[in-house]
Amino acid sequence: MADKREIDILVLSDVHLGTQGSEANALLQYLQSLAPKMLILNGDIIDIWQFRKGYFPQAHWAVLRHFMNLAESGVPVYYLTGNHDDSLRRLTPFRLGNIYLQDKLLLELDGKRAWFFHGDAYDPSVHKGRFWAKIGGQFYDWSIMLNRGMNRLLKPLGVPPSQFSKRLKASVKAAVQKMNDFEQKAIEVGMAKGYDYVVCGHVHRPQHREIVTEFGQLTYLNSGDWMEHRSALEYVDKAWQLYHYRAEDFAAPACFEGVENNLEELLRSIEDGTLDRFSRL
C-alpha cells in the first residue's frame, strides 16, 4: 500500500454500522489510506436503534477493528455518543486504554477552542417523538437501498447514477427547516460559550461555514455522514477541510485480512490486556 496520508485530526460521524445503508466498504478504504494523530467519532457510529443480530457484514466489523487498531497503536480515539447509539450514555464517561467514551469533547487547537458534540441534544424531534424518529431512520435506510438498486439496474442502460433519496429529503420543507434550526441553535450556543469551532454531526449535511454576527464569530463544521455523502472532516496544518470520498481516487479495494466477523472474537480482543487500563473519567 502507498504511504498513508498524515492528518492531525480525523472526524467521522453518522456511519450507522449495522444498517444496510452504511457505506462501510468505502469508509474502510478511506481509513486505510490515512495516518491520523487523533480520531473523533462524533456519534451514530453503531446504529443501536436498528441493530439486528443477523446483519453485521465483514466490512462493518473491519471498520470497528480499524478503530481499535488505531487505539492500540497509540492514537487517541474519542467516541462521542449520538442518538442512534444513545444507550452508551449510561456508561459515559469512561476510558479503555486509548479509547474514550464521552458525550462531548472540548479541545484547544492551535490557540482556538473547539467544541465537538453529536448535536441531537438540540433536536427536539428526537426527544419528543422518539418512536417516529426511529421509524424515520428505517425509512431513510430503505430509501438509500432502493436508490442503490435503481442505479444498478439503470447503469447498463447508460443512465448516470442519481441520488433521489438525498433529493427527497432536501425537498421536504420540514426536514430542511429542522436542519436549519438545529444548525442555528448550535451556532448560537457556541457563540455564547465563546468557542471558535462548533463541530457536529446528526443532520447528515456536510458543512464548513464561517459565521460572523454582531455577537461574535465562529466556524461551524459538520462531518456529514457515511450513508449518502461519504464525508469527513480533516484537521491538517492548523486548518479544517471537508473531505468527500471518490472511488476513483483509490487504486486498490479495502483490505479485510485478519478481520473477525464474529462478535465474541471482537469483544475478546478488546478485553485481552486492556481491563487493567479501564477507568472512569
Side-chain angles (χ1 to χ4, degrees):
M1 180 179 290
D3 291 339
K4 295 186 177 183
R5 184 163 57 89
E6 294 186 359
I7 62 176
D8 297 313
I9 302 175
L10 172 62
V11 182
L12 301 169
S13 71
D14 300 275
V15 178
H16 292 273
L17 296 174
T19 69
Q20 293 183 337
S22 179
E23 287 277 11
N25 274 288
L27 175 57
L28 183 62
Q29 196 176 31
Y30 168 59
L31 287 169
Q32 291 176 345
S33 73
L34 299 176
K37 297 177 183 178
M38 177 185 294
L39 173 62
I40 299 174
L41 304 172
N42 204 359
D44 288 3
I45 304 303
I46 302 174
D47 196 324
I48 297 175
W49 279 12
Q50 300 185 67
F51 181 81
R52 303 193 312 275
K53 187 176 181 180
Y55 185 83
F56 213 90
Q58 187 182 31
H60 296 224
W61 292 118
V63 168
L64 292 179
R65 176 75 262 179
H66 192 89
F67 294 156
M68 290 175 12
N69 287 344
L70 287 174
E72 290 169 1
S73 69
V75 174
V77 176
Y78 292 91
Y79 191 131
L80 309 183
T81 57
N83 51 302
H84 283 254
D85 43 23
D86 58 356
S87 60
L88 297 176
R89 287 175 177 161
R90 71 187 68 175
L91 305 175
T92 60
F94 82 75
R95 173 184 179 184
L96 184 62
N98 286 317
I99 300 175
Y100 301 79
L101 181 66
Q102 302 176 187
D103 297 325
K104 60 183 178 181
L105 176 65
L106 296 176
L107 291 178
E108 183 170 320
L109 303 176
D110 301 304
K112 295 184 177 181
R113 295 200 298 166
W115 179 32
F116 301 83
F117 66 106
H118 182 66
D120 58 296
Y122 297 116
D123 183 355
S125 67
V126 172
H127 308 286
K128 295 181 180 179
R130 184 182 178 90
F131 172 78
W132 292 111
K134 289 185 176 183
I135 295 297
Q138 292 177 344
F139 177 78
Y140 178 54
D141 197 38
W142 294 335
S143 71
I144 292 174
M145 295 306 299
L146 177 62
N147 196 161
R148 292 177 187 167
M150 291 295 295
N151 285 334
R152 282 195 294 268
L153 290 174
L154 295 174
K155 185 177 180 180
L157 302 177
V159 179
S162 65
Q163 292 184 312
F164 63 80
S165 57
K166 186 190 300 184
R167 293 201 301 269
L168 176 63
K169 185 172 64 174
S171 67
V172 178
K173 291 183 178 180
V176 174
Q177 187 60 48
K178 169 186 168 181
M179 288 188 284
N180 291 338
D181 290 346
F182 160 80
E183 291 175 346
Q184 184 59 35
K185 182 62 176 179
I187 289 168
E188 290 175 356
V189 173
M191 282 188 174
K193 292 179 178 291
Y195 298 133
D196 299 290
Y197 302 119
V198 171
V199 189
C200 303
H202 185 53
V203 290
H204 294 209
R205 184 159 74 171
Q207 293 282 308
H208 184 170
R209 295 163 51 196
E210 303 295 334
I211 311 296
V212 180
T213 73
E214 59 182 311
F215 302 106
Q217 66 181 56
L218 59 72
T219 301
Y220 170 74
L221 299 151
N222 195 300
S223 46
D225 64 274
W226 281 84
M227 298 185 80
E228 291 180 294
H229 295 97
R230 298 184 294 185
S231 57
L233 287 166
E234 300 177 354
Y235 187 71
V236 185
D237 295 332
K238 302 182 180 181
W240 285 103
Q241 56 191 30
L242 194 56
Y243 171 86
H244 287 275
Y245 170 88
R246 298 190 312 164
E248 57 267 29
D249 292 338
F250 298 88
C255 177
F256 295 96
E257 184 177 354
V259 175
E260 314 93 345
N261 192 13
N262 181 282
L263 178 60
E264 288 75 17
E265 288 296 325
L266 182 65
L267 293 177
R268 190 176 300 117
S269 68
I270 295 175
E271 292 174 357
D272 288 347
T274 60
L275 290 179
D276 59 333
R277 293 179 286 158
F278 172 87
S279 62
R280 300 293 298 193
L281 297 176

